[in-house]
Amino acid sequence: MMRVPFVAGNWKMNTTVTEAEELVYDMLDRLDRVEGVEKVLCPPFVALVSINMMLRGSSIKLGAQNMHFETLGAYTGEISPLMLGELCEFVILGHSERRWYFGETDEMINKKVKVALSHGLKPIFCVGERLEENEAGKTREVIDRQVMAALDDVSPTHDLVIAYEPVWAIGTGRAASGEQAAVTIKFIRSILAKLWNRDIAQDLRILYGGSVTSNNIAEFISQPEIDGALVGGASLKAEDFLGIVTQTAEIKYPHLPSPFKGEE
Ligand code: PGA
C-alpha cells in the first residue's frame, strides 16, 4: 500500500476567527488544487465551525488541536470527541506543548487516542524527546515509552497518523536533519511492527515536525521514511504553507508534470 503524503498545519493558539478565515481564504483555491497530498488545517476550536463551512467541497480536511477523553459532562471548558466528530476528521493528540505546559500524561493520551478512534476521529499522535533526553542518548527509550503507552490496548488501525516532533526542534528554528528524523521514524515503524504487525507498520504515515518551513521541507520529504510534516509557525503564512505542500507533491511524485490539477 502506498502511503499518501500528509501535511498538517497546527495553528496553535494563533488567529482570531476573522484572521483564521482570511488565512483559509488566501490559500483555499491553490491548496485545493494540489493533488496526491492529504492536506489538513488545525485552527483553534473557535474557528472550526466557520472553517468547516469554508472547506466544504474542497480536498482540504480539518483537524482539532486537542480533545478531552470524556464524551460529555461536567468538565468546564473542555471539548469532547462528540463535538469534534461533527466538524473534523482529525485531532492532534499528545503534542509536546500539551504534555509539558498542561501536564498531559501518557495515560491521558492513551485514553484520548482510544476515545478519538471510537468516535471516528483520526488521531495525529505526537511523540518526541526533549533536548536533555536527546543529549543523554535516550531518544529511543523515550519514543518507545510514548508509543507503547499511547497505543496500549488499541487495536491495529489505519486511522492513525504519527508525528515525530523532537521537542528541541519545535518553534526553535533548529530543525532536526532529514537523516536524523528518518532514523527515528524508522525506529517508530519497528515499534509498530512489534506491537501490531509489519504490514500496518509499513502502511501508517509518520510525519516529521519541528521548525519545518518551505526552505527545509525538501530535506525531510526526500527521505522515503518520512511521509509528510506537521507544521506549526510556517502554517500561519499562506505562501510558506503552500510551498511546503507543493514541494511535498513534487518530491513524492517526481513523474507528475505539476502538482496542480489541470496545469502543465
Ligand atoms: P513549529 O511547530 O513548526 O513551529 O516548530 C511544530 C509543531 O509544534 O507541531
Side-chain angles (χ1 to χ4, degrees):
M1 185 170 128
M2 193 225 162
R3 299 193 296 262
V4 176
F6 188 104
V7 178
N10 172 11
W11 296 2
K12 309 192 180 183
M13 198 175 72
N14 295 293
T15 70
T16 61
V17 175
T18 308
E19 287 165 349
E21 289 172 357
E22 280 167 4
L23 183 53
V24 172
Y25 186 79
D26 276 355
M27 311 192 268
L28 186 60
D29 285 350
R30 287 176 294 166
L31 202 54
D32 184 31
R33 286 190 289 141
V34 182
E35 289 190 308
V37 177
E38 202 159 2
K39 300 149 288 190
V40 182
L41 303 179
C42 304
F45 287 131
V46 290
L48 288 175
V49 173
S50 60
I51 295 190
N52 168 286
M53 288 199 286
M54 289 178 83
L55 298 183
R56 278 190 196 165
S58 81
S59 59
I60 306 160
K61 297 174 175 175
L62 196 57
Q65 298 174 17
N66 180 34
M67 183 199 78
H68 192 52
F69 48 77
E70 295 292 344
T71 46
L72 67 146
Y75 301 98
T76 302
E78 290 295 328
I79 298 287
S80 91
L82 278 180
M83 300 169 188
L84 294 181
E86 280 190 354
L87 298 168
C88 302
E89 183 169 336
F90 293 92
V91 58
I92 298 173
L93 295 177
H95 192 281
S96 63
E97 285 152 16
R98 299 294 321 168
R99 292 175 191 262
W100 306 116
Y101 300 152
F102 301 99
E104 282 195 16
T105 61
D106 286 328
E107 197 190 349
M108 287 159 78
I109 296 162
N110 175 242
K111 285 189 190 170
K112 292 184 180 200
V113 168
K114 285 183 189 160
V115 80
L117 288 167
S118 70
H119 285 81
L121 286 161
K122 299 174 184 166
I124 302 172
F125 160 56
C126 305
V127 294
E129 82 287 2
R130 289 192 284 176
L131 183 61
E132 55 275 28
E133 293 163 336
N134 180 284
E135 285 172 347
K138 293 196 167 147
T139 299
R140 287 181 174 225
E141 190 185 309
V142 171
I143 305 281
D144 186 62
R145 192 202 71 228
Q146 291 174 339
V147 174
M148 293 301 284
L151 300 184
D152 183 40
D153 206 21
V154 174
S155 315
T157 175
H158 283 92
D159 288 341
L160 180 77
V161 175
I162 298 181
Y164 168 54
E165 299 204 307
V167 180
W168 46 270
I170 297 179
T172 57
R174 197 186 142 196
S177 72
E179 225 165 282
Q180 266 176 322
V183 166
T184 306
I185 287 176
K186 203 166 176 188
F187 173 66
I188 296 173
R189 281 194 208 288
S190 75
I191 305 172
L192 294 170
K194 257 191 292 166
L195 178 71
W196 286 345
N197 60 63
R198 287 172 68 94
D199 287 346
I200 205 138
Q202 280 312 310
D203 288 349
L204 287 191
R205 271 87 55 90
I206 308 185
L207 321 175
Y208 167 75
S211 298
V212 171
T213 66
S214 55
N215 293 324
N216 64 15
I217 183 66
E219 175 174 352
F220 299 104
I221 281 304
S222 48
Q223 297 279 344
E225 277 300 331
I226 306 182
D227 301 314
L230 180 55
V231 186
S235 70
L236 292 164
K237 295 174 226 140
E239 298 308 320
D240 231 357
F241 191 64
L242 273 162
I244 291 169
V245 173
T246 311
Q247 288 179 62
T248 300
E250 282 167 354
I251 293 170
K252 291 293 188 193
Y253 303 98
H255 52 285
L256 286 184
S258 160
F260 290 110
K261 227 185 271 180
E263 279 178 26
E264 288 293 309

